[in-house]
Amino acid sequence: MKTLRFILGDQLSHSISSLQGCDRNRDIILLAELAGEATYVRHHKQKIALVLSAMRHFAQGLEGEGYCVDYVRLEDKSNTGSFSGELKRAVSRHGADRIVVTEPGEWRVLEVMQSWEQDLGVPVEIMQDTRFLASRSEFEQWAHGRKSLRMEFFYREMRRKTGWLMDGDKPKGGRWNYDAENRKSLPRGLTLPERSQFKPDHITREVMDLVTTEFGGHFGEIESFDWPVTRQEALDTLAHFIRDCLPGFGDYQDAMKSGADFLFHSLLSPCLNLGLLDAREVCEAVLTAHDEGHAPLAATEGFLRQVLGWREFVRGFYWMHMPDYGASNFFEAKRPLPGFYWTANTPMNCLAQTVDATRRNAYAHHIQRLMITGNFALLAGIEPAQVEEWYLAVYADAYEWVELPNTHGMALFADGGLMASKPYAASGAYIKRMSDYCTDCAFDPKKRSGESACPFNYLYWSFLIRNEGRLRSNPRMGLSYRNLDRLEDDQRIRITLQADAFLDSLAGLGTLGSR
Ligand code: FAD
Ligand code: DLZ
Ligand code: SF4
C-alpha cells in the first residue's frame, strides 16, 4: 500500500499525527504552496512569507531525516493553487492508494477534506490534531450541560488535569487568578526587552521576493520580516522570552506604549499556531523557570492562563460552535470597516499606532487587538464579518480557529454572550490609563463631547444608549448603566448626534475620522 501523507502549512510539527507510523521507505509526504491559501483572505505579506518559509525549512528538515518529500512550489506552472487540486495531482503522480492527513484548523478546509475520499476514490484517514492539551471531545464533555461556557472554569479544570501550579487540589499560592496584579501601567523609564530578530536566510529571502512579486498588493510591509521560521529559531524565541520578558509579563500584560510594539509579550503565537512549538513544551518551560525562581507566581500564572486557558478554550469553543458561529450579529452592526484600518491614517493616535504596528510587524499585542481596534469596531458598530476578515488577514498568527472566537465573541460580542459575559466596551479613560497614546493625540480623553473630545468617549456613551434594550439587564453592565443614568437628557442628545456625525464621516460622508 502506498500512503500519501498530506501536511498542511500550519502542521509543521514532527509530532503531527499524520506522520505517526510513517514508513520512510514507502510513504510520500506532500506539502504544497497554494495561492488559494494566500488569497482566500488577502493575508499580510509577512504572514504568507512566514508560512512558506517555514514550510520550505520543514520540508528540508524532513528530507534530511530520510523522509520522501514531494514539495509543490508556488511557482510550479502546473500548481492548481488548492488543497484538493494538489492532492489529486499527487495521488495520480505517485499512484497512492491511501491518504493520511491531520484535521485542519479551519472549518472551510475540513469540509473540503471530507469530500476527498469520494472525489479521489481512495481511503482518506483524517487524524485528530493531538497538539492541543484538551481534545475536542474533552472540551465538549466539559461544556456539556453548562448554561454558559466561561474560560475561567475551563482553565481551572485544565489546571487540575495537568497539575500545573497546583498544591494538591488547591491552586498554588491560594488563588486561581492573579489578573488584578497584571494590570499595571508602565512606569516611566522602565527598560523594555529587545525583540529577538532573525535575519532572513536565503530561503526566506527567496520567499520574500516571491511574495513581493505574487502578492505585492496585499497589506503590510515585507522588508522588516524577522519572524522565526525554523524549530530552532522558535526554541530561541521561547528561551529569549523566558529569560528577558517573562518576569515582567504579568505586571505589564495590559499596558500599551507608543513606539513599543512588543513590550513583555512572548511573540510565540505564530510559532505555536504553525506547529514549530508545542503548547505543552512552552508551558513546561515557563513552569520550570518559575520553579527555579526566575519568574514570579503572578507572571507564571498569567502566562499559563493564556496558553492553557484561553488558547485551549477558544479552540474547543470554535469547533463546538461551527459552522454557524460567525453568522450571529447581536448588535445588528452594519457599518463598513473604516479605511484607516488599512492605512493607519487617522488623528486618533491609539488607532494609528496600533494599525501602523500591524502593518510593519503583522503583529499587535492582545490589548491593542482587544481594546483599541476591537473596542473601536464594537463601539462604532462595524459589521462583524468585515472586522473578522481584517483580523484574519493582518496578523502572522491568524487562523480561523483562534481568530474567530476572539473577534466575533470576545472583541465584538456579536454572539450575544456565548463567549464573554459582557462586551469589552471602554471609553478613552481606559486607554489613557493603560497607555501613553493620549499625550500625543489630537483629541482630549477627558472630554465627553465637543470638537476636541476623544471619539472613544462619545462612541462609548452612544453605544450604551443605542444598545440599552440589549444590555441593561446584563448584571455585569449595571455600573455602566448607572453612570449613563447620571447624564442629563441634553447631554445624551449631544453625544448621540456627535457620535452619529462622526460615524457618518468614517463612511466617507465627511472627514472627521481620517487625516
Ligand atoms: P502573549 O501575550 O505572549 O501570550 C502568550 C500566548 O498565549 C500567545 O502566544 C497565545 O498563544 C496565547 N493567547 C493569549 N491570549 C489568547 C487568546 N485570547 N486566544 C488564544 N490564545 C491566546 N491569537 C492568535 O493566535 N491568532 C489570532 O488570529 C488571534 N486573533 C485575535 C483577535 C482579537 C480581536 C483578539 C482580541 C485576540 C486575538 N488573538 C489571536 C489572541 C491574542 O491577542 C494573541 O494570541 C496574542 O496577542 C499573540 O501574541 P503573543 O504571542 O505575544 O502573546
Ligand atoms: C495560511 C497559509 C498560507 C498563506 N499558505 C499555505 C500554503 O501555501 N500551503 C498550505 O498547506 N497552507 C497554507 N496556509 C495554512 C492554511 O491556510 C491552513 O492550513 C488552513 O487554514 C487550516 O488551518
Ligand atoms: Fe485614543 Fe482618545 Fe486617547 Fe486619542 S484621546 S489616543 S483617540 S483614547
Side-chain angles (χ1 to χ4, degrees):
M1 188 167 258
K2 193 153 198 186
T3 303
L4 188 62
R5 298 176 183 269
F6 196 3
I7 298 187
L8 312 191
D10 55 353
Q11 300 183 340
L12 308 181
S13 319
H14 273 78
S15 63
I16 195 78
S17 49
S18 55
L19 269 186
Q20 303 318 304
C22 179
D23 179 341
R24 293 185 203 201
N25 297 319
R26 288 167 56 128
D27 296 355
I28 311 282
I29 294 163
L30 173 69
L31 288 107
E33 298 181 355
L34 306 166
E37 289 308 297
T39 52
Y40 74 96
V41 295
R42 286 163 60 86
H43 293 297
H44 192 298
K45 294 190 202 79
Q46 288 190 34
K47 158 96 176 275
I48 305 172
L50 171 62
V51 176
L52 298 190
S53 176
M55 283 175 72
R56 288 185 184 193
H57 282 96
F58 184 74
Q60 201 179 51
L62 289 179
E63 271 165 356
E65 288 165 41
Y67 288 93
C68 180
V69 179
D70 181 0
Y71 192 92
V72 182
R73 290 167 75 107
L74 196 83
E75 315 90 295
D76 181 339
K77 290 272 179 294
S78 326
N79 188 332
T80 56
S82 73
F83 284 123
S84 301
E86 284 320 289
L87 184 62
K88 190 173 177 192
R89 285 201 317 127
V91 167
S92 83
R93 218 167 29 244
H94 299 288
D97 46 20
R98 174 176 170 243
I99 293 159
V100 176
V101 65
T102 295
E103 62 186 342
E106 302 194 347
W107 178 272
R108 76 183 164 91
V109 183
L110 181 63
E111 264 193 311
V112 170
M113 252 181 205
Q114 282 166 341
S115 72
W116 285 344
E117 189 157 291
Q118 195 172 21
D119 293 353
L120 300 172
V122 285
V124 177
E125 276 174 47
I126 303 179
M127 318 278 290
Q128 276 188 36
D129 191 342
T130 52
R131 296 173 298 169
F132 290 86
L133 289 145
S135 67
R136 280 166 57 183
S137 60
E138 236 177 307
F139 184 88
E140 272 164 32
Q141 267 168 31
W142 169 80
H144 183 74
R146 285 175 194 262
K147 265 199 357 231
S148 62
L149 304 183
R150 293 293 170 250
M151 193 286 289
E152 181 64 33
F153 299 109
F154 169 77
Y155 168 61
R156 290 181 191 182
E157 208 55 37
M158 293 297 285
R159 289 269 296 275
R160 287 193 191 96
K161 176 183 146 177
T162 54
W164 289 342
L165 294 185
M166 296 295 290
D167 276 335
D169 60 353
K170 300 264 182 318
K172 186 170 176 184
R175 278 159 56 194
W176 291 105
N177 187 323
Y178 291 84
D179 256 6
E181 276 139 67
N182 290 346
R183 291 192 184 126
K184 299 195 178 88
S185 48
L186 286 168
R188 214 172 284 231
L190 182 75
T191 310
L192 296 172
E194 294 285 318
R195 176 191 185 181
S196 43
Q197 295 172 312
F198 301 93
K199 197 170 173 304
D201 65 3
H202 72 283
I203 294 182
T204 304
R205 192 64 256 173
E206 196 175 49
V207 164
M208 287 165 67
D209 293 342
L210 181 66
V211 168
T212 305
T213 312
E214 297 296 324
F215 310 108
H218 286 210
F219 175 72
E221 227 174 79
I222 182 74
E223 278 311 311
S224 47
F225 184 101
D226 56 7
W227 289 103
V229 293
T230 63
R231 164 103 178 125
Q232 188 53 54
E233 289 178 348
L235 287 169
D236 292 347
T237 307
L238 174 60
H240 166 268
F241 166 67
I242 289 177
R243 193 186 60 233
D244 293 352
C245 311
L246 178 62
F249 178 84
D251 283 353
Y252 308 118
Q253 209 175 320
D254 286 4
M256 296 172 281
K257 185 175 162 59
S258 301
D261 296 339
F262 310 111
L263 297 167
F264 292 87
H265 292 278
S266 68
L267 312 188
L268 289 175
S269 54
C271 300
L272 279 163
N273 298 350
L274 280 174
L276 298 180
L277 289 176
D278 183 71
R280 178 178 290 277
E281 77 181 330
V282 167
C283 292
E284 283 174 350
V286 164
L287 290 165
T288 303
H290 171 64
D291 290 343
E292 289 169 354
H294 177 64
L297 179 59
T300 310
E301 190 285 314
F303 185 82
L304 205 60
R305 168 178 298 273
Q306 307 311 316
V307 180
L308 178 65
W310 278 113
R311 187 169 188 272
E312 296 288 328
F313 179 80
V314 299
R315 193 255 182 169
F317 185 94
Y318 172 81
W319 284 108
M320 200 173 146
H321 289 93
M322 286 306 279
D324 299 324
Y325 183 60
S328 50
N329 187 352
F330 182 66
F331 295 120
E332 296 179 58
K334 292 194 178 71
R335 289 190 179 267
L337 189 78
F340 64 71
Y341 273 75
W342 301 109
T343 61
N345 194 3
T346 165
M348 292 174 278
N349 190 37
C350 52
L351 280 158
Q353 294 270 342
T354 303
V355 174
D356 189 52
T358 301
R359 187 183 60 74
R360 285 182 284 105
N361 305 319
Y363 177 88
H365 59 74
H366 184 68
I367 293 301
Q368 292 176 312
R369 295 188 206 196
L370 183 63
M371 300 311 293
I372 305 295
T373 39
N375 183 27
F376 185 87
L378 168 73
L379 300 183
I382 313 296
E383 188 189 11
Q386 296 191 38
V387 185
E388 285 145 26
E389 187 172 335
W390 184 81
Y391 276 99
L392 193 55
V394 301
Y395 292 115
D397 57 20
Y399 298 89
E400 196 185 68
W401 66 266
V402 53
E403 173 276 326
L404 189 63
N406 271 299
T407 311
H408 195 78
M410 196 187 308
L412 300 179
F413 203 75
D415 63 6
L418 287 180
M419 166 121 178
S421 55
K422 78 184 217 2
Y424 282 88
S427 69
Y430 171 87
I431 298 171
K432 180 176 181 310
R433 189 167 67 249
M434 297 313 299
S435 77
D436 63 358
Y437 293 149
C438 305
T439 325
D440 283 328
C441 185
F443 299 107
D444 184 345
K446 291 193 284 307
K447 287 205 176 134
R448 204 178 275 158
S449 60
E451 209 184 322
S452 62
C454 165
F456 278 87
N457 290 343
Y458 47 80
L459 289 179
Y460 171 76
W461 292 110
S462 124
F463 168 81
L464 291 182
I465 294 167
R466 196 167 70 238
N467 294 301
E468 198 161 353
R470 296 184 176 96
L471 293 177
R472 191 181 270 278
S473 59
N474 180 326
R476 297 205 56 207
M477 294 300 288
L479 180 64
S480 307
Y481 277 98
R482 281 197 295 283
N483 287 335
L484 178 68
D485 290 341
R486 293 201 191 99
L487 295 188
E488 303 288 340
D489 282 353
D490 67 321
Q491 277 180 309
R492 278 179 167 240
I493 292 167
R494 219 177 311 131
I495 283 169
T496 305
L497 286 176
Q498 188 166 4
D500 288 349
F502 174 84
L503 292 173
D504 287 345
S505 82
L506 291 182
L509 306 173
T511 53
L512 274 170
S514 305
R515 260 201 291 251

